[in-house]
Amino acid sequence: MKQMLKKITALLMTGLLNGCVMLNTSSSSSSESGMDISEINSSYSSSSSTNNSSSNNNKKTEVIFYHTMNALKSEYLNAFIKSFEEENENIKVTPISAGSLPMLQNDILSNNYNGKVATMALCYRYNVDAFVDNNRSISLNQYINDSEYGFEEDDIRDFQNVGFWNEGSDAYGNDGTFYSIPFSEFTDVLYINTDLMMEYGFKDPNDETKPYTPQTWDEMWKLCKDLKELNPSITPLGIDSEHNMFITLCEQYGIPYASFDSNGNKSVDFNNSNTKDLMQELKDNYDKGYFKIRNGGKLLSGDLLTKRTAMCIGSTLDAPYYLNDPEFDYDKNNIDISPIPQKNINNPKSISQGFVITLLNGEGITKEQTLASWLFAKHITSTYNSAVYALLTGCEPVRESSYDEYIYQKYLNVPNEGEKLLSKVANVASNLKGTYFSYPAFMDSDIANKELKNLIVKILNGTNIDTALGNAKNLICDSIK
């Protein structure tokens, strides 16, 4: 682990670490947070009482960063912290792993901090949605727009051009009020067993060394029909996430499924005639044996690798299981990757999910801590650092300029041996910039996720579509009241 930290830190320090702003410390602090930045005098005397600060660090502003990273990703985080603290000697960043996202959300909402009150959190948008509803996440607008510490217009366009920026407001039903900024993102792609496709003669018409990849759902169902006729024992397509499939198809087909009214109230809209038609189409294709779903079991990567399916729609986050799973003996170069099928190739829609950063209020959090937390958020989402984290984890960078960084271009075009597999995924995902859509964060909550999965499972297993849609809507509506 120490060697890993040294390696990552060296990588970070060789780049231009954008977003590293010195926080001057020269006068007294306030116990309030979320005030106008112009009112913040960012230093305080040694006798000041500040949240979570020890006597040995009472001249430093402490950032308490809650997250759920595993041991390896925590090493990456520690490298970011090291580079930030070297540039900002008067700030101390204390990372705390909450274990899981439900535990992180519960700790923040219940103030269960064991003496360390979180000043910021790395979590999913649905967690932020709960924090917004309970007045725990603060508006980022004053920090984003601040003339000294905020983002330049070019920075905001840099985020916007990838497609993740507006979710920081839209996902929570707020017109222009931002509660999060993107940190790392992932999407769904189509994993393809090249050998199986080539064996049955399904080749790319423009390059016969590659498998045929359907661009639309009509092409996909036609391919599934042809494969099934050639080999009735296989299920042509696997789908790992019923939840993602439902939301993506509704978005691609232009079918209402969730929204906010003019007052920001949450609305569940999927119980409509268009959704019923879409669900009937899925049911018909399922009954023909064209696809299977995960249904709470293992990832369907094993089915793809052992040729029980020819294709699988799965997350880029799960790419290691598709491309380098030690459980199975297979040619790792035999798995190809392409974008998922679209309803309309001229208006492509790709789901985006991932980790975002939010700033928190709470008892004892000072304005200085909130500003220091913002500066750390800027640091770890800088052009270079976003590129570094993406190539280390297989996630997508959140800035367009990150794709142009030398290290990321090398990762895409001339990867080393250990990077080749994830580089294949990154090359597909890098072409999806601009296709990502925003959707209400409450549709990702534990209950909504569970009920959308159950909805698909029940319909495919024969439950009346009207009944299934009505029950799912009622259960999700009850959860957001």
Side-chain angles (χ1 to χ4, degrees):
M1 284 298 186
K2 289 183 178 179
Q3 291 301 317
M4 175 66 75
L5 179 56
K6 289 180 180 178
K7 180 179 179 181
I8 301 165
T9 303
L11 181 60
L12 289 172
M13 297 308 294
T14 59
L16 299 175
L17 296 171
N18 301 317
C20 302
V21 182
M22 292 298 291
L23 182 62
N24 181 33
T25 56
S26 59
S27 73
S28 63
S29 70
S30 164
S31 62
E32 297 177 47
S33 63
M35 304 295 288
D36 192 302
I37 293 180
S38 64
E39 300 176 16
I40 300 177
N41 192 327
S42 51
S43 89
Y44 48 92
S45 66
S46 60
S47 61
S48 298
S49 175
T50 62
N51 169 54
N52 308 324
S53 295
S54 68
S55 59
N56 291 331
N57 291 300
N58 60 9
K59 290 186 178 180
K60 288 190 176 185
T61 300
E62 188 173 22
V63 171
I64 307 300
F65 184 55
Y66 263 52
H67 65 89
T68 58
M69 290 182 175
N70 60 25
L72 180 59
K73 290 180 180 177
S74 290
E75 291 299 319
Y76 305 157
L77 174 61
N78 290 338
F80 284 127
I81 291 172
K82 178 177 174 62
S83 64
F84 177 74
E85 290 181 340
E86 288 178 354
E87 295 288 329
N88 299 273
E89 294 180 354
N90 54 329
I91 301 176
K92 171 182 171 58
V93 179
T94 301
I96 296 179
S97 175
S100 68
L101 288 170
M103 292 171 66
L104 178 146
Q105 179 173 313
N106 181 70
D107 287 350
I108 290 173
L109 292 180
S110 64
N111 296 306
N112 181 27
Y113 291 119
N114 295 320
K116 292 287 187 179
V117 180
T119 64
M120 64 188 300
L122 182 70
C123 54
Y124 278 1
R125 293 181 189 90
Y126 77 83
N127 302 119
V128 177
D129 184 64
F131 302 152
V132 171
D133 286 348
N134 288 274
N135 298 312
R136 296 309 306 272
S137 284
I138 66 173
S139 167
L140 301 180
N141 289 48
Q142 63 173 317
Y143 296 95
I144 291 170
N145 299 320
D146 184 75
S147 59
E148 183 176 0
Y149 299 119
F151 284 127
E152 301 287 343
E153 289 185 5
D154 286 347
D155 289 310
I156 294 176
R157 279 194 295 271
D158 201 20
F159 284 106
Q160 288 175 330
N161 288 344
V162 179
F164 307 130
W165 176 258
N166 290 342
E167 293 178 339
S169 173
D170 296 347
Y172 317 115
N174 298 285
D175 185 16
T177 302
F178 283 78
Y179 288 98
S180 67
I181 61 173
F183 172 70
S184 66
E185 297 283 342
F186 42 90
T187 188
D188 284 351
V189 292
L190 182 67
Y191 296 96
I192 303 165
N193 189 304
T194 302
D195 277 355
L196 193 150
M197 294 287 283
M198 302 291 271
E199 178 183 340
Y200 290 109
F202 296 104
K203 301 176 182 180
D204 186 332
N206 298 313
D207 184 352
E208 292 197 351
T209 65
K210 295 181 179 180
Y212 169 71
T213 56
Q215 296 186 57
T216 67
W217 282 105
D218 287 343
E219 292 176 356
M220 171 60 82
W221 298 132
K222 173 65 166 58
L223 174 60
C224 289
K225 177 178 181 294
D226 293 342
L227 278 166
K228 195 69 176 175
E229 289 176 350
L230 289 169
N231 186 347
S233 69
I234 68 169
T235 304
L237 175 66
I239 296 174
D240 265 332
S241 173
E242 299 89 353
H243 165 275
N244 287 10
M245 177 179 70
F246 180 85
I247 287 179
T248 300
L249 287 176
C250 284
E251 191 72 33
Q252 289 185 357
Y253 279 66
I255 299 173
Y257 56 96
S259 62
F260 298 94
D261 65 20
S262 58
N263 296 317
N265 297 314
K266 301 169 182 176
S267 176
V268 180
D269 310 321
F270 58 68
N271 193 8
N272 59 68
S273 60
N274 289 329
T275 311
K276 294 172 186 177
D277 291 342
L278 176 61
M279 292 299 99
Q280 186 62 58
E281 180 183 1
L282 281 179
K283 168 66 172 165
D284 292 344
N285 287 321
Y286 181 78
D287 288 344
K288 294 172 184 175
Y290 291 171
F291 74 96
K292 65 170 60 175
I293 56 175
R294 183 177 175 182
N295 193 15
K298 289 184 176 181
L299 285 173
L300 296 177
S301 55
D303 289 54
L304 185 75
L305 303 180
T306 56
K307 298 185 179 182
R308 294 195 296 273
T309 64
M311 302 163 286
C312 278
I313 293 176
S315 173
T316 54
L317 193 66
D318 295 322
Y321 296 100
Y322 281 96
L323 301 175
N324 195 25
D325 193 332
E327 184 178 342
F328 300 97
D329 182 18
Y330 66 102
D331 181 357
K332 297 176 178 59
N333 295 314
N334 182 40
I335 305 302
D336 214 328
I337 304 156
S338 77
I340 64 170
Q342 298 288 331
K343 171 63 176 174
N344 180 358
I345 60 173
N346 295 316
N347 185 28
K349 302 286 186 179
S350 305
I351 196 168
S352 67
Q353 296 171 311
F355 288 91
V356 299
I357 299 167
T358 189
L359 304 188
L360 302 165
N361 60 37
E363 184 178 355
I365 296 177
T366 68
K367 294 180 292 185
E368 291 77 20
Q369 286 180 292
T370 304
L371 177 56
S373 298
W374 168 250
L375 296 180
F376 183 58
K378 282 186 65 181
H379 174 80
I380 60 177
T381 58
S382 71
T383 292
Y384 186 80
N385 291 345
S386 183
V388 168
Y389 190 79
L391 68 87
L392 288 171
T393 62
C395 293
E396 283 298 287
V398 296
R399 285 175 174 260
E400 186 176 47
S401 58
S402 299
Y403 290 88
D404 296 327
E405 281 286 338
Y406 171 77
I407 57 168
Y408 202 75
Q409 281 295 305
K410 182 177 180 296
Y411 170 64
L412 291 177
N413 299 305
V414 196
N416 63 40
E417 193 60 34
E419 296 171 341
K420 284 183 178 180
L421 298 175
L422 287 181
S423 176
K424 291 171 65 174
V425 183
N427 270 283
V428 172
S430 66
N431 291 319
L432 299 178
K433 297 192 299 290
T435 71
Y436 298 112
F437 59 85
S438 300
Y439 62 96
F442 68 83
M443 292 300 285
D444 278 344
S445 70
D446 288 342
I447 291 177
N449 196 312
K450 174 185 174 183
E451 293 309 324
L452 288 182
K453 186 197 81 169
N454 288 341
L455 168 67
I456 298 297
V457 171
K458 287 177 180 178
I459 288 174
L460 297 184
N461 287 332
T463 299
N464 177 271
I465 292 176
D466 286 316
T467 301
L469 286 171
N471 289 342
K473 176 180 178 178
N474 290 338
L475 288 166
I476 297 174
C477 284
D478 288 344
S479 73
I480 62 177
K481 288 180 180 178

